[in-house]
Amino acid sequence: MKHLLTLGDSFTYGEELADTQKAWPYLLGSMIDHQVINLGLPGVSNDTIIRSLIDHVILGREPRPNLVVIGWTSPGRVEFSDDLGEFSIWPGYASKRFEADGSVWRYDLVEYLNRYHDTGWFHRRWLHHVLLAQSFLKSQEIPYVMLNTLNNDYYRQIPFDGFVKIRDSVDRDCFLGFGESGMVEWADHTAKGTGGHFLDDGHEIVAKKINEHLLHRR
Amino acid sequence: MSIYCIGDSWTYGSELADPERYSWPAALSRLTGRTVINQGKEACGNTRIVKRVIDAAFNEDADIVIIAWTNPERKELFTNDVLNVWPGHPKNNKVWPLGYERENQYITYQNDINKILTTCHCDKMERWATRQWYRDIILTQSLLEKQNKKYAMVSTFTPWNFDEKDSELKDQIDFGRFIGYPVAPEYYFETMSSWVKDCPAGPGHHPLQKGQQLIAEKIYEYIRNFGWVS
């Protein structure tokens, strides 16, 4: 049996679905006859995604994947750690709060990072994540597909030259919709939950789009 | 085709009278006869080092890349500019110098972030940061090899937070490219700071000219053994 490893945020996890087993990773797994290990989790950052990818592949916690699909989340999320474990903050989104007792500093961090953050810095970090993950998967000889949850196109506002070379170094043959669209755009016309997550029809669209890409690659 | 040296203040040459002349990258240039690009930056963390490694990996001019990793706990953030915070480090208790306020309206924020991250500094954070560093090493090694770049790595400071629980991750690192990695169980992990422990240092503990020369000679010997320089 072949194994599909998927990583991403709440849109990959299947938040707001009545049955998270109907999230796009499982639909895709069924289309390509792969058993699915879905590491998508609500609220995670791309730091967490990279960490989970490396640990899963290298530490061999589950069967080695035959295919990896990464649904990158917003570049603005940043991972921290404290005595209670890892957590991700999304600067600029004041609704993010933590409920763990004794973690008052998490609220302080959210407050300060809400006030000061820079999309250029975030976007560059994300491009670095992409390049590092691509070379890592190639070195491990694991086929992969990447896509965005949201189209990360605010690079258009960023003037500095260094970006162009880094962006042009991304392997776009394995990146669905790079610089153009992401899952949210593909499922834009479908029903959404109260939290803004697309529902069953949206997940179907995402799974089909990835499957079409894989068929085209063969 | 140049040698790119990436690191923190030890690579930059802080506290030297003339870093452009006496830093170890400059000394390495004299030893090898090659152009050396010093991309050391004071107070930077491994996040910035990874950025510069990626830039070098896609830069045709970079023939050899020398990476001098810094302390894993330095966290990069952004205020009006890139900010590196070192949680738990005694220097974090200082307030940014007077006068800096006039130029930097975000001074209060920077000091507060320092305090927050120092307050929640703990063993778990240290371990998380160290594991991040191991992953940074694994990722950059993959990238440099895929881009067919010659490279060598060294740790600037003593990696004092080796935890046996992290050995699985650490074991994935190609230590054949790590200058100073112990070749026998009885040897300890050499770092730049261990090489220069008997050399004169400035008030900020940065090695001065003699120590910088020694670092350059160690790195030169290593890359010459690979046949990358004569």
Side-chain angles (χ1 to χ4, degrees):
Chain A
M1 171 60 84
K2 291 189 174 179
H3 292 88
L4 164 67
L5 173 67
T6 56
L7 302 112
D9 60 12
S10 54
F11 285 82
T12 297
Y13 169 77
E15 191 150 356
E16 299 197 83
L17 287 175
D19 180 2
T20 54
Q21 294 286 306
K22 292 192 177 167
W24 66 259
Y26 299 100
L27 300 179
L28 177 65
S30 178
M31 290 171 189
I32 61 175
D33 196 26
H34 279 47
Q35 201 161 39
V36 176
I37 305 153
N38 185 8
L39 297 185
L41 274 178
V44 298
S45 60
N46 289 323
D47 299 314
T48 312
I49 287 171
I50 285 268
R51 173 166 58 79
S52 303
L53 170 67
I54 295 174
D55 288 358
H56 187 94
V57 170
I58 284 184
L59 301 183
R61 287 174 183 161
E62 295 280 345
R64 188 176 172 81
N66 301 98
L67 174 68
V68 170
V69 180
I70 299 176
W72 296 106
T73 188
S74 168
R77 289 175 171 173
V78 182
E79 185 178 90
F80 291 86
S81 174
D82 58 20
D83 197 42
L84 300 169
E86 294 98 8
F87 60 99
S88 291
I89 286 178
W90 195 352
Y93 285 79
S95 59
K96 183 67 174 175
R97 288 291 180 263
F98 299 95
E99 296 173 357
D101 290 333
S103 65
V104 63
W105 52 80
R106 293 189 180 188
Y107 290 83
D108 292 338
L109 264 180
V110 169
E111 181 190 327
Y112 282 104
L113 294 179
N114 275 346
R115 222 183 297 163
Y116 301 111
H117 50 275
D118 181 83
T119 51
W121 181 75
F122 284 136
H123 194 75
R124 184 163 182 164
R125 277 181 83 238
W126 170 67
L127 286 172
H128 290 151
H129 283 135
V130 171
L131 289 170
L132 289 172
Q134 287 190 335
S135 68
F136 173 72
L137 287 165
K138 284 175 185 171
S139 73
Q140 295 287 326
E141 296 182 347
I142 298 175
Y144 67 90
V145 178
M146 294 182 178
L147 54 150
N148 284 321
T149 298
L150 286 153
N151 175 29
N152 295 322
D153 70 344
Y154 41 79
Y155 69 89
R156 297 178 199 278
Q157 307 157 25
I158 296 156
F160 90 83
D161 294 336
F163 254 126
V164 175
K165 190 164 190 176
I166 295 296
R167 283 195 80 246
D168 289 347
S169 302
V170 171
D171 181 354
R172 300 186 192 197
D173 290 342
C174 301
F175 202 129
L176 269 178
F178 181 78
E180 294 171 356
S181 58
M183 289 185 227
V184 167
E185 286 80 24
W186 303 335
D188 186 45
H189 59 287
T190 64
K192 312 249 181 338
T194 52
H197 297 90
F198 47 74
L199 300 175
D200 296 80
D201 287 348
H203 281 273
E204 186 79 28
I205 288 171
V206 172
K208 278 184 178 168
K209 206 161 171 80
I210 300 171
N211 188 36
E212 279 165 15
H213 169 81
L214 290 169
L215 288 169
H216 182 72
R217 261 160 64 165
R218 282 181 211 139
Chain B
M1 300 278 278
S2 308
I3 299 175
Y4 279 62
C5 301
I6 303 168
D8 63 9
S9 56
W10 280 53
T11 297
Y12 170 78
S14 288
E15 302 194 84
L16 289 170
D18 188 351
E20 283 189 20
R21 191 169 174 190
Y22 296 119
S23 63
W24 68 258
L28 187 64
S29 179
R30 288 189 288 276
L31 288 166
T32 59
R34 301 276 296 269
T35 301
V36 173
I37 308 296
N38 185 346
Q39 295 196 322
K41 184 174 169 66
E42 295 175 306
C44 82
N46 286 328
T47 300
R48 180 187 181 276
I49 288 174
V50 169
K51 286 183 199 176
R52 294 290 89 83
V53 171
I54 294 172
D55 290 343
F58 292 100
N59 185 343
E60 289 169 359
D61 180 57
D63 178 37
I64 302 169
V65 184
I66 310 293
I67 301 138
W69 297 103
T70 187
N71 186 287
E73 292 183 66
R74 282 173 155 163
K75 179 75 177 175
E76 184 174 292
L77 297 168
F78 193 96
T79 55
N80 59 323
D81 197 353
V82 176
L83 164 71
N84 275 278
V85 176
W86 193 344
H89 194 274
K91 285 185 182 177
N92 267 5
N93 294 325
K94 75 170 184 187
V95 176
W96 252 273
L98 292 175
Y100 190 65
E101 274 184 55
R102 288 192 288 274
E103 298 166 13
N104 188 343
Q105 60 179 308
Y106 302 100
I107 183 69
T108 304
Y109 165 68
Q110 289 171 347
N111 280 325
D112 287 343
I113 280 288
N114 248 343
K115 284 179 195 167
I116 290 169
L117 289 178
T118 299
T119 299
C120 61
H121 176 259
C122 59
D123 288 345
K124 258 190 188 171
M125 181 196 275
E126 284 184 7
R127 187 154 168 240
W128 168 79
T130 301
R131 290 175 66 88
Q132 287 287 94
W133 178 42
Y134 296 160
R135 294 187 197 97
D136 283 343
I137 295 172
I138 292 165
L139 288 170
T140 49
Q141 288 190 331
S142 292
L143 178 66
L144 290 165
E145 277 154 22
K146 273 292 160 191
Q147 295 299 114
N148 295 314
K149 295 292 184 186
K150 307 179 193 76
Y151 73 92
M153 298 182 170
V154 63
S155 180
T156 302
F157 305 109
T158 307
W160 40 264
N161 200 23
F162 276 167
D163 188 310
E164 279 310 307
K165 294 175 201 167
D166 298 332
S167 58
E168 275 184 302
L169 201 55
K170 187 165 75 72
D171 288 346
Q172 301 302 319
I173 294 170
D174 179 2
F175 281 106
R177 296 297 188 96
F178 233 100
I179 309 170
Y181 191 70
V183 294
E186 64 271 22
Y187 295 169
Y188 69 99
F189 198 132
E190 292 182 1
T191 62
M192 277 192 187
S193 62
S194 68
W195 293 339
V196 301
K197 60 181 168 51
D198 296 326
C199 296
H205 308 293
H206 295 92
L208 300 178
Q209 190 175 337
K210 182 179 174 185
Q212 295 281 340
Q213 181 69 29
L214 180 57
I215 291 168
E217 286 168 5
K218 288 269 192 187
I219 294 172
Y220 172 61
E221 180 188 344
Y222 186 88
I223 63 178
R224 190 175 59 170
N225 284 341
F226 269 99
W228 298 341
V229 293
S230 56

Coordinates of all heavy atoms in Angstrom, one line a residue, chain B residues 142-187:
Chain B
S142 N 20.9 19.7 2.5 CA 20.2 19.2 1.3 C 20.3 20.2 0.2 O 20.5 19.9 -1.0 CB 18.7 19.0 1.6 OG 18.5 17.9 2.5
L143 N 20.0 21.5 0.5 CA 20.0 22.5 -0.5 C 21.4 22.7 -1.2 O 21.5 22.7 -2.4 CB 19.5 23.8 0.1 CG 19.5 25.0 -0.9 CD1 18.5 24.8 -1.9 CD2 19.3 26.3 -0.1
L144 N 22.4 22.8 -0.4 CA 23.7 23.0 -0.9 C 24.2 21.8 -1.8 O 24.8 22.0 -2.8 CB 24.7 23.3 0.2 CG 24.5 24.6 0.9 CD1 25.3 24.7 2.3 CD2 25.0 25.8 0.1
E145 N 23.8 20.6 -1.3 CA 24.2 19.5 -2.1 C 23.4 19.4 -3.4 O 24.0 19.1 -4.5 CB 24.0 18.2 -1.3 CG 25.2 17.9 -0.4 CD 24.8 17.1 0.8 OE1 23.7 16.4 0.8 OE2 25.5 17.1 1.8
K146 N 22.1 19.8 -3.4 CA 21.3 19.8 -4.6 C 21.9 20.9 -5.6 O 21.8 20.7 -6.8 CB 19.9 20.1 -4.3 CG 19.0 18.9 -4.0 CD 18.9 18.0 -5.2 CE 18.5 16.6 -4.8 NZ 18.5 15.7 -5.9
Q147 N 22.4 21.9 -5.0 CA 22.9 23.0 -5.9 C 24.4 22.8 -6.2 O 25.0 23.7 -6.8 CB 22.7 24.4 -5.2 CG 21.2 24.8 -5.0 CD 20.5 24.9 -6.3 OE1 19.6 24.2 -6.6 NE2 20.9 25.9 -7.1
N148 N 24.9 21.7 -5.8 CA 26.3 21.3 -6.1 C 27.3 22.4 -5.6 O 28.3 22.8 -6.3 CB 26.5 21.2 -7.6 CG 25.7 20.0 -8.2 OD1 25.8 18.9 -7.6 ND2 25.0 20.2 -9.2
K149 N 27.0 22.8 -4.4 CA 28.0 23.8 -3.8 C 28.9 23.0 -2.8 O 28.4 22.2 -2.0 CB 27.2 24.9 -3.0 CG 26.3 25.8 -3.9 CD 27.1 26.7 -4.8 CE 26.2 27.6 -5.5 NZ 27.0 28.4 -6.5
K150 N 30.2 23.4 -2.8 CA 31.1 22.9 -1.8 C 30.7 23.7 -0.5 O 30.6 25.0 -0.6 CB 32.5 23.2 -2.2 CG 32.9 22.6 -3.6 CD 34.3 22.9 -3.8 CE 34.7 22.7 -5.3 NZ 34.2 23.8 -6.2
Y151 N 30.7 23.0 0.6 CA 30.4 23.8 1.8 C 31.0 23.1 3.0 O 31.4 21.9 3.0 CB 28.9 23.9 2.0 CG 28.2 22.6 2.5 CD1 28.1 22.2 3.8 CD2 27.8 21.6 1.5 CE1 27.5 21.0 4.2 CE2 27.2 20.4 1.9 CZ 27.1 20.1 3.2 OH 26.5 18.9 3.6
A152 N 31.2 23.9 4.1 CA 31.7 23.3 5.4 C 31.0 24.1 6.4 O 30.6 25.3 6.2 CB 33.2 23.5 5.5
M153 N 30.7 23.5 7.5 CA 30.0 24.1 8.7 C 30.9 24.1 9.9 O 31.7 23.2 10.1 CB 28.7 23.4 8.9 CG 27.7 23.5 7.7 SD 26.1 22.7 8.1 CE 25.2 23.2 6.6
V154 N 30.6 25.0 10.8 CA 31.3 25.0 12.1 C 30.3 25.7 13.0 O 29.5 26.5 12.6 CB 32.6 25.7 12.0 CG1 32.4 27.2 11.6 CG2 33.4 25.6 13.3
S155 N 30.4 25.3 14.3 CA 29.6 26.0 15.3 C 30.4 27.1 16.0 O 31.6 26.8 16.4 CB 29.2 24.9 16.4 OG 28.4 25.6 17.4
T156 N 29.9 28.3 16.1 CA 30.7 29.3 16.7 C 30.8 29.1 18.2 O 31.9 29.2 18.7 CB 30.0 30.7 16.4 OG1 29.9 30.9 15.0 CG2 30.8 31.8 17.0
F157 N 29.7 28.7 18.8 CA 29.8 28.5 20.3 C 29.6 27.1 20.6 O 29.1 26.3 19.8 CB 28.6 29.3 20.9 CG 28.7 30.8 20.6 CD1 27.7 31.4 19.8 CD2 29.7 31.6 21.1 CE1 27.8 32.7 19.4 CE2 29.8 32.9 20.7 CZ 28.8 33.5 19.9
T158 N 29.8 26.7 21.8 CA 29.6 25.4 22.3 C 28.2 25.0 22.3 O 27.3 25.6 22.8 CB 30.1 25.2 23.8 OG1 31.5 25.8 23.8 CG2 30.1 23.8 24.2
P159 N 27.9 23.9 21.6 CA 26.5 23.4 21.5 C 26.2 22.6 22.8 O 26.3 21.4 22.9 CB 26.5 22.5 20.3 CG 27.9 22.0 20.2 CD 28.8 23.0 20.8
W160 N 25.9 23.3 23.9 CA 25.8 22.7 25.2 C 24.5 22.1 25.5 O 24.3 21.6 26.6 CB 26.1 23.8 26.2 CG 25.4 25.1 25.9 CD1 26.0 26.2 25.3 CD2 24.1 25.5 26.1 NE1 25.1 27.2 25.1 CE2 23.9 26.9 25.6 CE3 23.0 24.9 26.7 CZ2 22.7 27.6 25.6 CZ3 21.8 25.6 26.7 CH2 21.7 26.9 26.2
N161 N 23.6 22.0 24.5 CA 22.3 21.5 24.9 C 22.0 20.2 24.1 O 20.8 20.0 23.7 CB 21.2 22.6 24.6 CG 19.9 22.3 25.3 OD1 19.9 21.6 26.3 ND2 18.8 22.8 24.8
F162 N 23.0 19.4 24.0 CA 22.7 18.1 23.4 C 21.9 17.2 24.3 O 22.3 17.0 25.4 CB 24.1 17.4 23.1 CG 24.7 17.8 21.8 CD1 26.0 17.4 21.5 CD2 24.0 18.5 20.8 CE1 26.6 17.8 20.3 CE2 24.6 18.9 19.6 CZ 25.9 18.5 19.3
D163 N 20.8 16.8 23.8 CA 19.9 15.9 24.6 C 19.8 14.6 23.9 O 19.6 14.5 22.7 CB 18.6 16.6 24.7 CG 17.6 15.9 25.7 OD1 17.5 14.6 25.6 OD2 17.1 16.5 26.6
E164 N 20.0 13.5 24.6 CA 20.0 12.2 24.0 C 18.7 11.9 23.3 O 18.7 11.2 22.3 CB 20.2 11.1 25.1 CG 21.7 10.9 25.4 CD 22.6 10.8 24.2 OE1 22.3 9.9 23.3 OE2 23.6 11.5 24.0
K165 N 17.6 12.6 23.7 CA 16.3 12.4 23.1 C 16.3 13.0 21.7 O 15.5 12.6 20.8 CB 15.2 13.1 23.9 CG 15.0 12.4 25.2 CD 13.9 13.2 26.0 CE 14.0 12.9 27.5 NZ 13.3 13.9 28.3
D166 N 17.3 13.9 21.4 CA 17.4 14.5 20.1 C 18.3 13.8 19.2 O 18.6 14.2 18.1 CB 17.8 16.0 20.2 CG 16.8 16.8 21.0 OD1 15.6 16.4 21.0 OD2 17.2 17.8 21.6
S167 N 18.9 12.7 19.6 CA 19.9 12.0 18.9 C 19.4 11.5 17.5 O 20.2 11.5 16.5 CB 20.5 10.9 19.6 OG 19.5 9.9 20.0
E168 N 18.2 11.1 17.4 CA 17.7 10.7 16.1 C 17.8 11.8 15.1 O 18.1 11.5 13.9 CB 16.2 10.3 16.2 CG 16.0 8.8 16.7 CD 14.5 8.5 16.7 OE1 13.7 9.2 17.4 OE2 14.1 7.5 16.1
L169 N 17.4 13.0 15.5 CA 17.5 14.1 14.5 C 18.9 14.5 14.3 O 19.3 14.7 13.1 CB 16.7 15.3 15.2 CG 16.2 16.4 14.3 CD1 15.3 15.8 13.2 CD2 15.5 17.4 15.1
K170 N 19.7 14.5 15.3 CA 21.1 14.9 15.1 C 21.8 13.9 14.2 O 22.7 14.3 13.5 CB 21.8 15.0 16.5 CG 23.2 15.5 16.5 CD 23.6 15.9 17.9 CE 23.9 14.7 18.8 NZ 25.2 14.0 18.5
D171 N 21.4 12.6 14.3 CA 22.1 11.6 13.5 C 21.9 11.8 12.0 O 22.5 11.1 11.2 CB 21.6 10.2 14.0 CG 22.2 9.8 15.3 OD1 23.1 10.5 15.8 OD2 21.6 8.9 15.9
Q172 N 20.9 12.6 11.6 CA 20.6 12.8 10.2 C 21.6 13.9 9.6 O 21.5 14.1 8.4 CB 19.2 13.3 10.0 CG 18.2 12.2 10.5 CD 18.3 10.9 9.9 OE1 18.6 10.8 8.7 NE2 18.2 9.8 10.7
I173 N 22.3 14.5 10.5 CA 23.2 15.6 10.0 C 24.5 14.9 9.4 O 25.0 14.0 10.0 CB 23.6 16.5 11.1 CG1 22.3 17.3 11.6 CG2 24.7 17.5 10.7 CD1 22.5 18.1 12.8
D174 N 25.0 15.4 8.3 CA 26.2 15.0 7.8 C 27.4 15.7 8.5 O 27.8 16.8 8.1 CB 26.3 15.2 6.3 CG 27.6 14.8 5.6 OD1 28.4 14.2 6.3 OD2 27.8 15.0 4.4
F175 N 27.9 15.0 9.5 CA 28.9 15.7 10.3 C 30.3 15.6 9.6 O 31.2 16.1 10.1 CB 29.0 15.1 11.7 CG 27.9 15.6 12.6 CD1 26.8 14.9 13.0 CD2 28.0 16.9 13.1 CE1 25.8 15.4 13.8 CE2 27.0 17.4 13.9 CZ 25.9 16.7 14.3
G176 N 30.3 14.9 8.5 CA 31.5 14.9 7.7 C 31.8 16.3 7.2 O 33.0 16.6 6.8
R177 N 30.8 17.2 7.1 CA 31.0 18.5 6.7 C 31.1 19.5 7.8 O 31.0 20.7 7.6 CB 29.9 18.9 5.7 CG 29.8 18.1 4.5 CD 31.1 18.3 3.6 NE 30.9 17.7 2.3 CZ 30.5 18.3 1.3 NH1 30.3 19.6 1.3 NH2 30.4 17.7 0.1
F178 N 31.2 19.0 9.0 CA 31.2 19.9 10.2 C 32.6 19.9 10.8 O 33.0 18.9 11.4 CB 30.2 19.3 11.2 CG 29.2 20.3 11.7 CD1 27.9 20.3 11.2 CD2 29.5 21.3 12.6 CE1 27.0 21.3 11.6 CE2 28.6 22.2 13.1 CZ 27.3 22.2 12.5
I179 N 33.2 21.0 10.6 CA 34.6 21.2 11.2 C 34.5 21.1 12.7 O 33.7 21.9 13.3 CB 35.2 22.5 10.8 CG1 35.1 22.7 9.3 CG2 36.6 22.6 11.2 CD1 35.5 24.1 8.8
G180 N 35.3 20.2 13.3 CA 35.3 20.2 14.7 C 34.5 19.1 15.3 O 34.5 18.8 16.5
Y181 N 33.7 18.3 14.5 CA 32.9 17.2 15.0 C 33.9 16.1 15.5 O 34.8 15.8 14.8 CB 32.0 16.7 14.0 CG 30.9 15.7 14.6 CD1 30.0 16.2 15.5 CD2 31.0 14.4 14.4 CE1 29.1 15.4 16.1 CE2 30.1 13.5 15.0 CZ 29.1 14.0 15.8 OH 28.2 13.2 16.4
P182 N 33.6 15.6 16.6 CA 34.6 14.6 17.2 C 34.7 13.4 16.3 O 33.7 12.8 15.9 CB 34.0 14.3 18.6 CG 32.6 14.7 18.5 CD 32.5 15.8 17.6
V183 N 35.9 13.0 16.0 CA 36.2 11.8 15.2 C 36.3 10.6 16.1 O 36.4 9.5 15.6 CB 37.4 12.0 14.3 CG1 37.2 13.1 13.3 CG2 38.7 12.3 15.1
A184 N 36.4 10.7 17.4 CA 36.5 9.6 18.3 C 35.6 9.9 19.5 O 35.4 11.1 19.8 CB 37.9 9.4 18.7
P185 N 35.1 8.9 20.1 CA 34.2 9.1 21.3 C 34.8 10.0 22.4 O 34.1 10.7 23.0 CB 33.9 7.7 21.8 CG 34.1 6.8 20.6 CD 35.2 7.5 19.8
E186 N 36.1 9.8 22.5 CA 36.7 10.6 23.6 C 37.0 12.1 23.3 O 37.3 12.8 24.2 CB 38.1 9.9 24.1 CG 39.2 9.9 23.0 CD 39.1 8.7 22.1 OE1 38.0 8.1 22.0 OE2 40.1 8.4 21.4
Y187 N 36.8 12.4 22.0 CA 37.0 13.8 21.7 C 35.7 14.6 21.9 O 34.6 14.1 21.8 CB 37.4 14.0 20.2 CG 38.7 13.3 19.8 CD1 39.1 13.2 18.5 CD2 39.6 12.9 20.8 CE1 40.3 12.6 18.1 CE2 40.8 12.3 20.4 CZ 41.1 12.2 19.0 OH 42.3 11.6 18.7

